[in-house]
Amino acid sequence: MAIGEFHPQEGAFSAVEATSWARATWPLGVSFDNGDLLVAVFSRRAQRILLEIHDRAIGGDVVHDYWLTRNPDDNIWRARIRQAPAHSLYAFRCWGPNWTFNPAWRRGGSEAGFIADVDDAGNRFNPNKLLFDPYARELSHDMITPELHAAGLDFHLYHTGAFEYLGHAARWHDTGPWAPKGVALQDAPFPTPRPRVPPEKAVIYEAHVRGLTQHPSASNLKSILTGLPDFAAVEDVPEALRGTYAGAAYMAPYLKALGFTTIELLPIHFIANIRDPALQPRDNYWGYMSLGFFAPNRRYAHDQSPGGPTREFKAMVAAFHAQGMEVYLDVVYNHTGEGGNWYGRQDTTAFVSFGGFDAPEYYVLSHENHLLDGATGCGNQISFSSPVCHELVMDSLHYWIHDMGVDGFRFDLALALGRLPNHFQKDDWANQRKFFDQHPLLLRIAELGKREEVEMIAEAWDLWGYEVGAFPAHWGEWNGRFRDALRMFVRGDGSAVETVRMLNGDYENFSDKGGPQHSINFLVAHDGFTLADLVSYDHKTNAVLEWPFGPSDGGSDDNLSSGWGGDHALRRQQMRNFWTLLMFSRGAPMAVAGDEFGRTQNGNNNTWDVDSPATWNNYAMIASHCPQAVPSGCEAPYHNNLGCAEAAPEAVNPLFVFVHYLLNLHRVSPALQQRQYADMEMDSGADVTYQFLPEHGQGHIEPHHRCIRLQINGRAVGETDYLLCINMGEQAADFAVPLAQPGLRWVRIIDTDRWAEARGNCWPQGERDEVMHSYGVNPRAIAVLHEVPQKSPG
């Protein structure tokens, strides 16, 4: 088919005359109107844009093509296609100043009209490289497929530039038969109401869709959880659904029973999978290379039919909502998966969407028109001086809220979203910091979250800055200071004063943000050690591991961790300490998938490309008192760093019992869900809800102290008090116990020391030891007392 020609077939759809939509204003993306397909893409600098309809996703032909018409008022190019069928496969080719349209150009490989790979304005148009819609609701397939590999091709096919590939300059090669195409969906908004969990009640479980259920143990959940209270509703994940959105839906009753309110999924947007299929699963497992901000990752869908990933994702969200749970998404708007200047060459990129439509509009460019690799480290930082990029983010968020039912978002390297126009160098940050909380995009996101009752959570740093607490009001923020202070204090070398500040919800940085619930408290996250590994390794092991646990590149060299001299019992005790501090701190706690039963990655703290049992939840660990001794599901075993729990039943993991108790205590306790700070954290006045004192109950906390007594006042919220006796020293300590309120008595509900491991280190109900005057806490242990009514006489 020649450019611009249209050869209708019987029953085929036809184009409407361009003059009828030259001033049209329908929104970006594709939609349907009375059976007509409405198409709209943005480009300020393109000179021509061709829409193609393909007969199949891979290796097919173009069956229809249409020139789009530009509206000069908004620089959006549009077409209206009569009676287009749903699920049509569509894509685009663009011409611009560096590669002008020439009638001699033909599909299949051509340099007709070529002037330069990149011009002085930073344009990088190349009509040989098929582009998918930045607003596509679904995409047909990955960039690299078995079919591509079978044809003797690889990722270099997508490159531009002068370097030679298969006998031609890379720019010459046509990606049309192989590139992902948009799937034109005709879909309805999310039909059911969201749970709207108040942020002060939120307890977040960070998980990977695939890692949540891919392990074979997910198909044996019922027998694993037999006899454990609250888990009767949990079902086995069907084998065919493991590792998918549909499989994740089966985990909603498990997480609800465990005590979580919210699941936060690592990126599920369509991503750049660029490795040879023969090397899979060594690919971008974490998914921090988004290519489609509206399209769910097809790899995670069991239903691979057109529209299947979207339907399946919605059904997963509905399953969590049915349990009263929320679903958050980790989103990556700071860069895209198109990459930067490959091989350090200015002329070489691999654009499949954004940059091919308008590189200077979507990306930050240096004065030499290189794609910037500064604040994100990913080679193509999105330009948030561009209003089009602002709208891209806002439109994406609206879509996932209204059409897909999502309840919250965690923004990767969110500091990059708030950098002011023309301040893209590290040295400029001091000049713009004072304006940061007034950045228009950050304010719009905050307002959207407030209006829709959706949580907006920042990873409040990037490679050029660390600004926890600096985001506008109504933003939540991952609190890295909380993580670091508690890691150091539990290790024995941190400041007790800084630890108190973090336990109190980081008052100095979050008191003006709407309450402590905006501090997202975490000890570990996906990009680092698991909690079990944090207490098992002095240093990361990435480079020495073999598949399936590694090797892996990168990862922090300063983990504030300790292996505790190989003492298994002490490691298990420190895990309980971390869990206790996390759940009794002001703020919204977040844990990582598998930390409830001691998941290990054998010391790998950067498993970004490890899709194996090393990164999957092995639920068999729940039914063993030696959790890391269970079979891993592959030839390589887990490092057994935790040993066997002392005097515990062989079929029970005491850590799981302990975590279940803590989470459900938080769920039912208003004292642990307080929205407001009282007076300053060190004040000893009667209205202080979190009161911190040394173990003897007098004076003030000093940096060198290893013992902290924390009394949480629950009376203002209709509950009784808690008393935490925290001893991170090397000697036992006696903690003064204050007088209980009239009609009440203090009882022990938690002691993390090893002596109590056989009973799960907790006393949830029944006979509890009353405590009067003082309580002795062994080294590196925490006891928790609770006020309960006096026993009835007789």
Side-chain angles (χ1 to χ4, degrees):
M1 178 184 297
I3 288 296
E5 293 180 344
F6 173 62
H7 299 286
Q9 304 166 11
E10 186 175 353
F13 48 93
S14 60
V16 180
E17 289 298 323
T19 54
S20 68
W21 67 80
R23 296 287 178 172
T25 58
W26 62 73
L28 290 165
V30 300
S31 56
F32 286 87
D33 179 33
N34 294 321
D36 292 354
L37 180 67
L38 307 183
V39 181
V41 294
F42 173 87
S43 181
R44 186 184 308 278
R45 295 165 178 84
Q47 295 173 341
R48 290 205 183 196
I49 299 181
L50 182 71
L51 167 67
E52 295 183 347
I53 306 295
H54 290 248
D55 61 353
R56 59 185 184 273
I58 301 173
D61 295 317
V62 178
V63 293
H64 304 290
D65 59 9
Y66 313 95
W67 290 113
L68 273 62
T69 301
R70 173 178 171 267
N71 183 337
D73 296 333
D74 58 13
N75 292 304
I76 295 177
W77 300 67
R78 294 177 171 90
R80 184 181 187 111
I81 313 301
R82 291 292 191 201
Q83 301 305 304
H87 305 145
S88 294
L89 299 173
Y90 71 103
F92 305 90
R93 297 182 190 267
C94 288
W95 288 259
N98 68 296
W99 195 318
T100 60
F101 176 71
N102 185 322
W105 183 90
R106 291 293 184 271
R107 297 180 182 91
S110 173
E111 292 196 28
F114 170 74
I115 298 172
D117 291 301
V118 54
D119 65 17
D120 291 340
N123 293 304
R124 288 176 163 86
F125 293 100
N126 184 339
N128 293 324
K129 307 303 177 181
L130 196 71
L131 305 175
F132 62 76
D133 180 4
Y135 277 65
R137 273 26 178 192
E138 203 165 286
L139 289 157
S140 59
H141 61 278
D142 287 340
M143 294 171 62
I144 304 299
T145 63
E147 293 89 344
L148 183 79
H149 184 253
L153 302 170
D154 58 28
F155 181 66
H156 292 92
L157 177 72
Y158 294 98
H159 285 130
T160 58
F163 81 92
E164 184 175 307
Y165 176 59
L166 299 179
H168 292 275
R171 75 175 74 90
W172 178 89
H173 291 277
D174 190 342
T175 62
W178 311 105
K181 285 85 178 172
V183 181
L185 294 187
Q186 191 169 12
D187 206 19
F190 195 80
T192 60
R194 292 186 282 109
R196 302 184 190 275
V197 175
E200 69 273 12
K201 295 180 180 292
V203 183
I204 303 168
Y205 189 83
E206 189 196 34
H208 189 287
V209 168
R210 182 168 164 82
L212 193 62
T213 64
Q214 184 61 32
H215 195 277
S217 60
S219 295
N220 197 30
L221 278 172
K222 286 186 70 69
S223 61
I224 288 171
L225 295 165
T226 296
L228 292 176
D230 301 332
F231 292 92
V234 175
E235 298 290 338
D236 295 337
V237 179
E239 182 177 356
L241 301 183
R242 293 206 308 259
T244 68
Y245 302 120
Y250 275 80
M251 300 308 298
Y254 166 82
L255 292 175
K256 176 63 178 293
L258 192 52
F260 287 96
T261 70
T262 305
I263 185 169
E264 180 176 300
L265 297 173
L266 266 67
I268 58 83
H269 287 165
F270 182 85
I271 65 169
N273 292 302
I274 62 173
R275 292 193 174 177
D276 189 307
L279 299 178
Q280 300 296 345
R282 290 304 295 266
D283 206 341
N284 185 5
Y285 175 65
W286 284 351
Y288 287 90
M289 293 296 281
S290 298
L291 275 173
F293 295 125
F294 297 79
N297 192 335
R298 184 171 287 277
R299 283 192 177 187
Y300 303 151
H302 173 69
D303 182 354
Q304 289 291 310
S305 66
T310 299
R311 292 189 297 270
E312 191 172 318
F313 180 89
K314 286 184 175 184
M316 176 197 71
V317 173
F320 279 96
H321 286 183
Q323 296 292 323
M325 294 189 65
E326 294 189 318
V327 177
Y328 293 177
L329 298 185
D330 195 331
V331 288
V332 187
Y333 293 118
N334 57 76
H335 70 283
T336 77
E338 290 190 301
N341 295 112
W342 289 87
Y343 322 118
R345 297 177 58 129
Q346 187 199 36
D347 68 334
T348 303
T349 57
F351 291 154
V352 291
S353 185
F354 306 89
F357 283 105
D358 199 329
E361 194 75 28
Y362 282 109
Y363 295 130
V364 179
L365 303 179
S366 72
H367 295 303
E368 295 78 26
N369 289 318
H370 279 83
L371 293 156
L372 194 71
D373 185 20
T376 66
C378 295
N380 60 337
Q381 185 173 329
I382 286 185
S383 175
F384 290 108
S385 62
S386 165
V388 170
C389 294
H390 286 209
E391 297 309 315
L392 175 73
V393 172
M394 297 307 298
D395 291 345
S396 173
L397 294 173
H398 274 283
Y399 177 72
W400 289 100
I401 295 168
H402 293 289
D403 289 60
M404 304 294 268
V406 170
D407 307 285
F409 303 88
R410 178 267 188 187
F411 293 76
D412 177 66
L413 299 181
L415 208 60
L417 276 67
R419 294 190 177 277
L420 295 176
N422 304 317
H423 286 271
F424 296 111
Q425 300 300 320
K426 186 175 183 180
D427 294 342
D428 292 328
W429 181 241
N431 297 325
Q432 60 174 299
R433 176 183 287 156
K434 58 182 175 292
F435 304 112
F436 180 73
D437 64 359
Q438 297 301 311
H439 190 281
L441 178 59
L442 300 184
L443 292 173
R444 290 181 68 187
I445 293 172
E447 179 57 32
L448 175 65
K450 181 181 178 182
R451 183 173 67 250
E452 300 289 346
E453 297 182 69
V454 165
E455 295 306 308
M456 304 297 186
I457 300 169
E459 183 184 37
W461 53 85
D462 62 15
L463 298 185
W464 285 349
Y466 185 88
E467 297 294 333
V468 173
F471 275 69
H474 306 296
W475 274 85
E477 300 177 43
W478 272 23
N479 197 335
R481 280 192 293 267
F482 178 94
R483 172 199 60 202
D484 296 346
L486 268 68
R487 284 187 181 190
M488 287 189 288
F489 185 69
V490 170
R491 192 173 66 174
D493 56 357
S495 164
V497 171
E498 183 64 12
T499 299
V500 161
R501 292 192 177 110
M502 296 305 109
L503 293 174
N504 193 50
D506 199 356
Y507 177 90
E508 290 87 349
N509 290 288
F510 287 92
S511 59
D512 61 346
K513 299 295 187 292
Q517 64 273 14
H518 294 291
S519 171
I520 309 302
N521 298 335
F522 69 106
L523 296 162
V524 295
H526 65 275
D527 55 346
F529 283 146
T530 66
L531 191 62
D533 288 355
L534 182 68
V535 301
S536 301
Y537 296 92
D538 295 323
H539 308 285
K540 66 183 183 183
T541 62
N542 305 13
V544 300
L545 291 170
E546 296 182 355
W547 186 259
F549 289 92
S552 292
D553 58 0
S556 175
D557 294 322
D558 185 14
N559 297 281
L560 305 176
S561 64
S562 174
W564 298 107
D567 186 333
H568 290 174
L570 182 54
R571 289 171 175 171
R572 298 193 302 271
Q573 182 170 315
Q574 293 290 40
M575 290 184 71
R576 294 189 292 269
N577 289 335
F578 275 128
W579 269 107
T580 302
L581 293 171
L582 179 66
M583 298 311 298
F584 279 90
S585 298
R586 288 193 196 271
M590 185 189 81
V592 171
D595 279 351
E596 69 269 29
F597 47 72
R599 184 174 69 86
T600 179
Q601 296 172 171
N602 285 3
N604 188 337
N605 75 346
N606 197 44
T607 55
W608 71 273
D609 63 344
V610 178
D611 184 1
S612 80
T615 53
W616 305 340
N617 271 10
N618 184 348
Y619 298 99
M621 291 183 173
I622 296 171
S624 174
H625 73 144
C626 304
Q628 294 179 346
V630 303
S632 66
C634 57
E635 291 185 5
Y638 299 121
H639 294 172
N640 189 2
N641 297 309
L642 299 180
C644 298
E646 299 174 3
E650 290 188 3
V652 175
N653 181 339
L655 175 65
F656 185 81
V657 174
F658 181 72
V659 172
H660 178 218
Y661 170 69
L662 268 178
L663 289 168
N664 281 278
L665 181 65
H666 190 282
R667 177 178 59 83
V668 301
S669 176
L672 305 182
Q673 303 169 2
Q674 299 186 47
R675 291 180 60 89
Q676 303 297 328
Y677 296 96
D679 286 345
M680 295 299 292
E681 62 202 69
M682 306 303 284
D683 193 328
S684 60
D687 62 346
V688 173
T689 53
Y690 269 55
Q691 184 186 52
F692 298 90
L693 294 168
E695 68 272 26
H696 45 69
Q698 302 293 324
H700 297 282
I701 300 294
E702 300 293 343
H704 66 277
H705 286 169
R706 296 299 95 194
C707 293
I708 299 171
R709 195 188 81 173
L710 164 58
Q711 185 167 355
I712 301 174
N713 183 344
R715 293 186 297 280
V717 289
E719 196 184 0
T720 54
D721 288 7
Y722 292 95
L723 188 73
L724 272 70
C725 304
I726 304 165
N727 180 9
M728 290 299 111
E730 298 180 358
Q731 305 294 326
D734 285 328
F735 283 75
V737 176
L739 290 174
Q741 295 297 308
L744 302 175
R745 60 192 173 104
W746 290 106
V747 297
R748 177 185 61 209
I749 60 171
I750 289 171
D751 193 319
T752 65
D753 194 65
R754 67 182 71 189
W755 70 264
E757 190 173 39
R759 58 161 303 114
N761 297 91
C762 58
W763 289 260
Q765 57 188 1
E767 187 63 30
R768 297 165 167 175
D769 290 340
E770 182 173 355
V771 179
M772 300 177 65
H773 308 304
S774 68
Y775 187 89
V777 181
N778 285 335
R780 304 194 186 281
I782 302 171
V784 182
L785 312 182
H786 190 203
E787 281 185 327
V788 300
Q790 290 282 6
K791 291 182 178 180
S792 301

